[in-house]
Amino acid sequence: MWASSRASSVPGSVFSLMDAAGVRARSRGLTLTDLSIGSSDQHPPQSVLDVLREATHDPATYRYPRFSDTLPLRAAAAEYLTRRFGVRLNAETEVLPLIGAQEGLAHLLLAVTDPGDTLLLPDPCYPPYWGAAAVAGLNVVTLPLTPERGFLPDLAAVPENVRPRVLLLNYPNNPTSAVATAQFFREAAAWCRERGTLLIHDHPYAELTFGDYRAPSALEAGTAGVVELHSLSKTHHLGGFRVGFAAGDTGAVGALARVKGAVDFHPYLGIQRAAAHALGLPDEVGRAGARIFEERRDALVPALRDLGWEVQTPQASMYAWARVPGLRDSVAFAVRAAEETGVVVSPGRAFGERGEGFVRFALVQPPEVLRAAARKLGTVGVGG
């Protein structure tokens, strides 16, 4: 009786559904191989943990952080963006620490939209995007992401009568692992500026790139009307620490700061110190972690193709997105796969209507485990 219309409109979590299926599999004596959640299994850089450990012995870190206390992390984030993308920002007005990028997106939508505003949202997309839109009371118009277009949206196909307040993008993409070029972001930013639309780019996989590929930043198209969200969860394996940052348009970042000032304090000062240190580490630290995911990609993709499944070789991210021939109910398939084999994956339908027929794999297990998981899935029928 106490749930608000906002709370009631938030979709259920596919991760909870798959967790329940995993519990049932474990009760039957099966060993679980959980490939459903993109939570890095790698160890954070040791020097980052050393900085955090030292901070816990400093009584100055125990108090509530003030906004002025966040300047070292804001400055480190600005320096990272300059070093990595050639983007120069004012750390005082264009960068803001977050208690994780997911939290940052939800607060950002509250900060820059009013109930009833229109959000352009890719389909398929990361499921919490739908929840954040629901909490903000937004009208969602979906942008189809299809293999034929490389899972990039066709902005020219948006009807003229649709006047979006926000366009939300995410490349390298979750769940499809698709990537975008700097030219794509320039065109998207120009399209948004013509319409008075804020471009929000969720960029947690910025450093999880393979081979010679390096992901661009939407901020390379200019900061006016563009906000980018970064996370240390994937790039530095700090998911449980909940720390990231928003960067870009001064007005949007300032609005976000006002909303956050009403609902939270900043991350613990020790975590801020550790994050600032992490952002200043040599690029090779992140590249070493990415190579581990690349090795896993190279093990899983051929194994899935041996099943007759259609999967492109990702250039980035920590996922493989596979189309299963003949699959019409990906949720039922994923639940059945977990209960029968102990392999837990994410059903494509959980990411949107256009995810149906696909399955997402998180590359969070060693190569030999991924190969074995693929073999087990080959025993699960797609019908029923």
Side-chain angles (χ1 to χ4, degrees):
M1 65 179 286
W2 294 111
S4 68
S5 58
R6 291 187 298 275
S8 299
S9 65
V10 174
S13 171
V14 64
F15 302 119
S16 297
L17 175 70
M18 297 315 302
D19 183 58
V23 169
R24 292 192 293 273
R26 192 182 291 112
S27 70
R28 296 180 57 234
L30 293 174
T31 299
L32 290 189
T33 302
D34 192 348
L35 309 177
S36 65
I37 299 179
S39 179
S40 176
D41 62 325
Q42 296 184 44
H43 197 279
Q46 187 58 50
S47 63
V48 174
L49 298 181
D50 290 342
V51 170
L52 176 60
R53 185 177 297 108
E54 293 173 6
T56 63
H57 295 286
D58 181 359
T61 68
Y62 303 160
R63 57 180 170 77
Y64 291 126
R66 294 182 293 267
F67 178 73
S68 59
D69 293 322
T70 69
L71 182 56
L73 178 52
R74 285 183 277 133
E79 290 168 5
Y80 159 76
L81 292 171
T82 299
R83 183 180 74 248
R84 174 65 173 78
F85 303 107
V87 175
R88 297 188 179 278
L89 294 97
N90 185 330
E92 290 282 0
T93 60
E94 296 180 308
V95 183
L96 185 69
L98 304 174
I99 307 176
Q102 183 170 323
E103 167 267 354
L105 173 64
H107 284 159
L108 180 57
L109 291 181
L110 290 173
V112 300
T113 67
D114 292 312
D117 283 347
T118 294
L119 167 66
L120 285 180
L121 191 62
D123 180 4
C125 70
Y126 180 47
Y129 292 171
W130 287 95
V135 170
L138 302 181
N139 169 48
V140 175
V141 174
T142 58
L143 291 169
L145 303 185
T146 64
E148 294 74 22
R149 288 189 53 84
F151 296 108
L152 294 171
D154 183 4
L155 296 177
V158 177
E160 282 296 324
N161 63 337
V162 174
R163 309 303 294 180
R165 176 70 171 175
V166 171
L167 166 64
L168 176 56
L169 298 175
N170 161 227
Y171 293 97
N173 185 256
N174 178 10
T176 70
S177 295
V179 298
T181 64
Q183 178 61 28
F184 168 81
F185 285 121
R186 286 192 291 270
E187 293 172 357
W191 187 92
C192 286
R193 288 171 185 141
E194 289 175 1
R195 290 160 178 78
T197 299
L198 178 67
L199 171 57
I200 299 176
H201 182 226
D202 189 21
H203 206 7
Y205 306 101
E207 303 304 337
L208 290 189
T209 61
F210 309 143
D212 294 331
Y213 176 73
R214 296 293 181 271
S217 166
L219 295 172
E220 294 175 48
T223 60
V226 179
V227 175
E228 192 161 78
L229 305 176
H230 285 259
S231 169
L232 279 78
S233 296
K234 320 295 185 183
T235 57
H236 296 87
H237 320 296
L238 296 171
F241 292 68
R242 308 312 305 140
V243 62
F245 61 91
D249 186 271
T250 301
V253 170
L256 174 59
R258 288 194 294 275
V259 168
K260 285 178 61 63
V263 297
D264 71 54
F265 283 93
H266 304 284
Y268 164 57
L269 282 168
I271 289 177
Q272 289 191 50
R273 290 182 186 178
H277 173 80
L279 289 169
L281 289 173
D283 292 345
E284 176 54 30
V285 174
R287 301 307 307 151
R291 282 194 290 272
I292 293 175
F293 287 110
E294 186 174 4
E295 292 171 0
R296 296 172 178 183
R297 175 204 68 177
D298 292 342
L300 180 61
V301 169
L304 295 177
R305 288 175 177 162
D306 286 345
L307 301 178
W309 294 12
E310 301 171 20
V311 54
Q312 297 179 349
T313 301
Q315 290 182 273
S317 88
M318 58 192 302
Y319 306 108
W321 182 243
R323 191 204 296 269
V324 183
L327 183 60
R328 291 185 172 85
D329 189 340
S330 58
V331 174
F333 172 81
V335 170
R336 190 164 60 250
E339 293 176 344
E340 294 179 4
T341 71
V343 178
V344 186
V345 296
S346 292
R349 179 63 181 81
F351 300 92
E353 292 182 5
R354 292 174 181 86
E356 188 54 273
F358 290 83
V359 174
R360 191 197 73 172
F361 295 80
L363 303 174
V364 293
Q365 295 287 342
E368 61 274 14
V369 175
L370 294 173
R371 293 189 189 98
R375 289 193 295 269
K376 291 178 181 179
L377 290 175
T379 67
V380 181
V382 300

